Amino acid sequence: MKKFLAMILALVMALSLVACGDKKDDPKTDDNQGDNPEVTEITNADEIADEMTSEDGKYEIAFVTDVGQLKDKSFNQGTFDGVKLYAANNGLSYKYYQPANGDQATDDDRYDAMKAAAEGGAKVIVAAGFMQATALTKAAAEFTDVKFVFVDRDSAVTTEDGTALKNVLGICFQEEQCGYLAGYAVVKEGYTKLGFTGGGGGDNPACCRYGYGFVQGADAAAKELNEKVEMNYSWQYGANFSASPELQTMAAGWYQAGTEVIFACGGSMFASVAAAAGAEEGKVIGVDVDQSFESTTVITSAMKGLADSVQWALGKFYAGEFASIGGVQTSLGANENAVGLPTATWSLTKWSVDDYNAKLQEIKDGKIAIDNNYDNLASTENLTLNIVG
């Protein structure tokens, strides 16, 4: 497919996605692929306006943002890119809705945004972020003719009696895998003083998986090299995924005390960490999307296929096949080419692309077991964790 081929050329990694489980949900093997409207022409979402005006005032694909800015160069933006690309390439109307009260949005605020989208003509609503759960469950039960794509949902969405809502698809990613690759890569590169700062206050499952994977990857490389690695690990100043002077001050202090590279895992938090890194000659690992274009301090990014997963789900809806994916949760990882590092833009020099591809294949083959139970986070013989805050 043109979209996926373009992504391969741009990132030197295949971010085409398939659903886990039944083969009929695989867009690469779908018998109807030739007529599937997910095939796209425009490959750069930045070429598509964030806002459009439909002729009838209705917008049939809606995006409800997570906390933080729409253009956060991370989770919100990556997800919305998928909405824009699919809509623009298929002549469909689209609109984004940001819940009221910004970072202090309540479940009622999120529900009101979804209600406005449904009443505004949405046939399918894409919602980003685990905090959407309560509002989305209410909205999906009320607007049963509308389909919902819930990005970063770890389980099926159910009513109080446990009945799965068939008009909702939950999509999540195996972030521990790309977190592992990032941790492994930077230690192989020679860095032994690391940092991790995460969003969601330690309650966001995706960020927790990213962080725990990062620790495991760094530990594995340290063992191979017989090195000792130290890592500052914090959820401070990241509850709302926002940039802040406090976060920048903390990151600057880490760099001044010897930290060489920080994994900035939390949307707009990246701006604070990158600013600190620029001032202190430190390095940054980006998250969700390739953030190397945002700062020269970025050496690599732990990525997941946000835009492609959204386009895949929308393609299923417009092909009349949502029933095959609704009412379930789909988890995408290395075996679906849905997570990885951007080898075309990273600035690593001691760990090669061939080494990366070999390590990624080991994950796909099950030769490397990466734990996703972040309750097991702990120091090891080769890696000392300094839990901050």
Side-chain angles (χ1 to χ4, degrees), residues 3 40-52 71 77 80-90 92 94 311:
K3 162 64 183 174
T40 62
E41 296 293 339
I42 303 173
T43 59
N44 183 2
D46 290 336
E47 298 175 1
I48 306 169
D50 293 333
E51 298 184 41
M52 66 161 305
K71 307 295 283 189
Q77 186 167 343
F80 188 43
D81 281 352
V83 171
K84 291 199 300 180
L85 285 164
Y86 189 88
N89 283 295
N90 292 282
L92 301 169
Y94 60 93
Q311 291 183 88

Side-chain angles (χ1 to χ4, degrees), residues 25 41 82 88 96 107 139 145 167 182-183 221 238 310 363-364 367 376:
D25 286 343
E41 296 293 339
Y96 71 88
D107 289 334
D145 291 335
N167 59 331
V310 170
I363 295 174
K364 292 180 179 182
K367 294 179 180 178
N376 295 328

Side-chain angles (χ1 to χ4, degrees), residues 38-117:
E38 73 174 311
V39 177
T40 62
E41 296 293 339
I42 303 173
T43 59
N44 183 2
D46 290 336
E47 298 175 1
I48 306 169
D50 293 333
E51 298 184 41
M52 66 161 305
T53 301
S54 69
E55 293 183 0
D56 61 1
K58 302 292 185 181
Y59 298 89
E60 61 177 271
I61 302 179
F63 173 57
V64 177
T65 68
D66 193 11
V67 293
Q69 302 172 18
L70 174 71
K71 307 295 283 189
D72 60 1
K73 306 296 184 182
S74 186
F75 186 64
N76 273 333
Q77 186 167 343
T79 307
F80 188 43
D81 281 352
V83 171
K84 291 199 300 180
L85 285 164
Y86 189 88
N89 283 295
N90 292 282
L92 301 169
S93 56
Y94 60 93
K95 184 176 181 178
Y96 71 88
Y97 297 78
Q98 292 185 286
N101 297 311
D103 293 342
Q104 305 303 315
T106 65
D107 289 334
D108 286 341
D109 293 329
R110 297 183 183 95
Y111 166 78
D112 288 343
M114 295 177 198
K115 182 174 184 288

Side-chain angles (χ1 to χ4, degrees), residues 26 74 94 103 113-114 117-118 122 151 215 226 254 265 277 316 320 322 335:
D26 184 339
S74 186
Y94 60 93
D103 293 342
M114 295 177 198
V151 181
V215 169
N226 195 27
W254 287 6
C265 185
K316 285 294 184 184
F322 195 88
N335 283 326

Side-chain angles (χ1 to χ4, degrees), residues 140-165:
E142 179 177 349
F143 300 101
T144 56
D145 291 335
V146 177
K147 302 298 186 291
F148 292 78
V149 178
F150 192 173
V151 181
D152 256 15
R153 173 66 178 187
D154 286 342
S155 62
V157 176
T158 62
T159 58
E160 289 184 1
D161 64 2
T163 302
L165 291 169

Side-chain angles (χ1 to χ4, degrees), residues 66-67 103 130-131 196-209 211 233-242 247 250 265-267 269 374-375 377 387-389:
D66 193 11
V67 293
D103 293 342
F130 79 112
M131 289 189 290
F196 170 84
T197 177
D203 294 326
N204 181 296
C207 288
C208 290
R209 289 193 294 268
Y233 197 98
S234 180
W235 300 105
Q236 279 192 310
Y237 312 121
N240 294 322
F241 300 87
S242 299
L247 176 60
M250 183 182 76
C265 185
M269 294 170 63
Y374 40 83
D375 288 338
L377 179 74
I387 307 297
V388 179

Side-chain angles (χ1 to χ4, degrees), residues 332-382:
L332 305 170
N335 283 326
E336 293 75 43
N337 297 315
V339 296
L341 308 181
T343 57
T345 59
W346 73 17
S347 60
L348 305 177
T349 60
K350 298 178 183 177
W351 198 53
S352 71
V353 174
D354 286 343
D355 290 336
Y356 164 76
N357 288 331
K359 188 59 60 177
L360 181 62
Q361 190 61 50
E362 287 185 286
I363 295 174
K364 292 180 179 182
D365 292 342
K367 294 179 180 178
I368 297 176
I370 304 172
D371 187 12
N372 64 4
N373 182 1
Y374 40 83
D375 288 338
N376 295 328
L377 179 74
S379 295
T380 69
E381 183 178 345
N382 291 83

Side-chain angles (χ1 to χ4, degrees), residues 155-177:
S155 62
V157 176
T158 62
T159 58
E160 289 184 1
D161 64 2
T163 302
L165 291 169
K166 299 296 185 181
N167 59 331
V168 182
L169 165 67
I171 296 176
C172 73
F173 299 85
Q174 296 169 40
E175 292 91 355
E176 69 277 5
Q177 294 180 343

